Every structure is written in C-alpha cells, then in structure tokens.
Amino acid sequence: MSGQEYDIDMVNRDPNNLNDHVRVCFEEVLGEPDGGHSIACVWNCAYKCFNCCKGCCYKLMTTICGIPLAICWGCEFAWITFWHVWYVTPCMRAYMINCGCMQKFYGTCLSCFCQPLFEAFSYCFSNIRVTNYSG
C-alpha cells in the first residue's frame, strides 16, 4: 500500500456490485407455484433450515478457506500487475515505436514507387475523351 490505510465498509461488502448475479436468498432459490403448496409448518421449517445451513456452511467455508484464497488471489493479482508493468507494457511500447518507424518506411516506399507510377498512368490516360451520343 502507499502508506495510507483504507477503511473497509463492513456493512456493504460489495460496493461495486461485483456479485449482483449471485442470488442466494430463500425466496430467490425456492418457490412453490399456486396450487402446489406444502404444509405451512414444512415451508416455515424449510425456510429456517435453509438459512441456518447456508449461513453456517458459508461461515465455516470462509473461516477455513477465506484467508488462504485471499492470499492466493492477492498473489495472482500481484503477478498480473508485475507482468503488465515489467513485460506487457514495455512490449507494447516497443511495438508502437516499431510500428511508427515501419509506417514512415512504408509511406516513403509507397510515395517513391506509387507516385511516379500513377503520374505516368495519368499522362497515358490524360488524352482520353469520353463523349455521349444520344441516338
């Protein structure tokens, strides 16, 4: 980091809406159509069991895997940053420099070759006259 600490929002943990597509609430996963309702106590118990298991399993998985995965992803993005800073960007810069040089080279070659050629063609075709006869 650059010496300054960042305060993280402990309430809104997805401020950029990266996971809007993840719909995991009971009502977004399970639903009974009209005419096919279970007993109210079963539906109520299913709601409580779903939320309890989802919460406990998620907390257990994040406790076991969250920190190691955060370390892995931190290393991955450090590698991506390193790769781009020290390899990709310099390669792109070298490519752009070479493309500019080649553009001048090809432009000069084309103007040296094509310009006299087209001037010669223009002299050859300059005396052609087209007239329309309506008969």
Side-chain angles (χ1 to χ4, degrees):
M1 291 213 271
S2 61
Q4 62 184 11
E5 287 190 32
Y6 294 101
D7 292 329
I8 60 172
D9 188 350
M10 295 302 289
V11 176
N12 181 10
R13 296 187 185 185
D14 190 9
N16 296 321
N17 299 321
L18 299 173
N19 293 304
D20 273 353
H21 63 286
V22 180
R23 305 268 181 193
V24 294
C25 292
F26 181 81
E27 296 83 8
E28 295 167 331
V29 176
L30 297 172
E32 292 183 321
D34 290 337
H37 288 199
S38 59
I39 301 171
C41 66
V42 171
W43 189 250
N44 196 15
C45 184
Y47 173 80
K48 291 176 183 177
C49 289
F50 176 89
N51 286 321
C52 180
C53 288
K54 181 185 73 162
C56 289
C57 288
Y58 184 77
K59 285 176 179 65
L60 178 66
M61 287 187 288
T62 56
T63 301
I64 294 169
C65 302
I67 293 173
L69 284 172
I71 291 169
C72 289
W73 283 115
C75 291
E76 176 70 21
F77 284 103
W79 171 251
I80 290 170
T81 303
F82 172 81
W83 184 253
H84 276 263
V85 167
W86 293 102
Y87 184 76
V88 174
T89 302
C91 283
M92 287 180 6
R93 177 58 61 196
Y95 180 74
M96 289 169 44
I97 290 169
N98 287 328
C99 284
C101 179
M102 295 307 291
Q103 183 180 17
K104 289 179 183 178
F105 174 74
Y106 285 126
T108 302
C109 289
L110 287 175
S111 66
C112 289
F113 174 75
C114 291
Q115 185 175 358
L117 182 67
F118 291 145
E119 282 182 18
F121 284 146
S122 70
Y123 290 133
C124 291
F125 297 121
S126 65
N127 289 327
I128 295 177
R129 303 276 188 254
V130 178
T131 56
N132 289 330
Y133 290 105
S134 59

